[in-house]
Amino acid sequence: VLDTEALDRGARNYLAAVHMAGEGNYYLALVDASTGHRRTYQLDTLHQVIDELHRADATELLVGVNSPLHSSIEAYGARVPVTEIDIPKGDDEMVADSMLETYLASTQMNTALALQPRQRCERLDAMGLAAATVRNLELVRCTVDGSRKNALIGLLDKTRTAMGARLLKEWLLYPLTDV
């Protein structure tokens, strides 16, 4: 969905893809099709994948057809719609990214997407906040009413642009470990 009326102006609207290249070797790719922002991760555990999906607040997840990831991700309690697609051939590191590009090309046929170069993220660059931590600290949503207004971000957000609101949310969810 790229309709600006339907999207939250202060949040990235990530589409995610996960590729498992063997036990303990997961590749996660995220793209915000409305802004073109892309990032990729190489992760060691499925639990790390789930935490990143929660932090990114992905709106849809792509996995390979007949992938064991589909049932594993649902078992972990990730509440994101999962779509199975054919896995493109290529280097394991690029497969998740290629899945996103293929899916976007097939679903957004009338829209020319200007995707930014992918940003490879290391988990050591930012503090790893588990989904439970983000929820219990009420960083982006209030646990009582689910609103953004009564969460920490609602108190801090005095930004004037959508880009500023997205950046503030990113700073809260990915605090730097080195200043």
Side-chain angles (χ1 to χ4, degrees):
V1 175
L2 295 178
D3 181 11
T4 54
E5 298 297 320
L7 299 176
D8 178 3
R9 80 173 221 17
R12 294 199 186 273
N13 298 284
Y14 281 119
L15 172 64
V18 178
H19 174 63
M20 185 173 71
E23 191 60 38
N25 200 10
Y26 299 90
Y27 292 96
L28 172 66
L30 300 164
V31 65
D32 181 349
S34 60
T35 64
H37 183 260
R38 299 193 309 179
R39 58 173 52 174
T40 60
Y41 297 88
Q42 181 178 358
L43 303 166
D44 301 324
T45 66
L46 187 58
H47 188 71
Q48 289 176 342
V49 171
I50 301 299
D51 283 345
E52 288 301 328
L53 287 172
H54 280 292
R55 276 205 295 181
D57 200 15
T59 55
E60 187 173 2
L61 174 64
L62 306 176
V63 297
V65 175
N66 298 323
S67 170
L69 285 172
H70 191 159
S71 57
S72 300
I73 287 171
E74 287 177 346
Y76 263 94
R79 294 187 178 108
V80 57
V82 178
T83 302
E84 293 184 349
I85 67 168
D86 291 327
I87 297 176
K89 301 235 185 284
D91 182 32
D92 281 334
E93 187 174 352
M94 300 299 292
V95 167
D97 206 42
S98 297
M99 289 168 68
L100 289 173
E101 289 176 0
T102 302
Y103 183 77
L104 286 171
S106 68
T107 58
Q108 307 296 329
M109 291 181 243
N110 296 332
T111 306
L113 299 174
L115 298 179
Q116 298 173 5
R118 68 186 175 102
Q119 172 189 6
R120 181 156 187 191
C121 300
E122 300 292 332
R123 286 184 58 90
L124 300 175
D125 296 342
M127 185 183 305
L129 298 178
T133 303
V134 172
R135 184 179 53 252
N136 291 336
L137 291 176
E138 296 184 337
L139 295 179
V140 292
R141 284 197 184 95
C142 176
T143 54
V144 175
D145 60 7
S147 74
R148 176 185 168 103
K149 180 180 84 171
N150 294 324
L152 179 62
I153 197 166
L155 298 172
L156 296 177
D157 191 357
K158 305 297 182 216
T159 59
R160 295 180 183 203
T161 65
M163 188 183 330
R166 287 190 296 266
L167 185 60
L168 176 62
K169 182 177 178 183
E170 194 163 315
W171 285 349
L172 284 175
L173 292 178
Y174 297 89
L176 298 177
T177 56
D178 188 20
V179 269

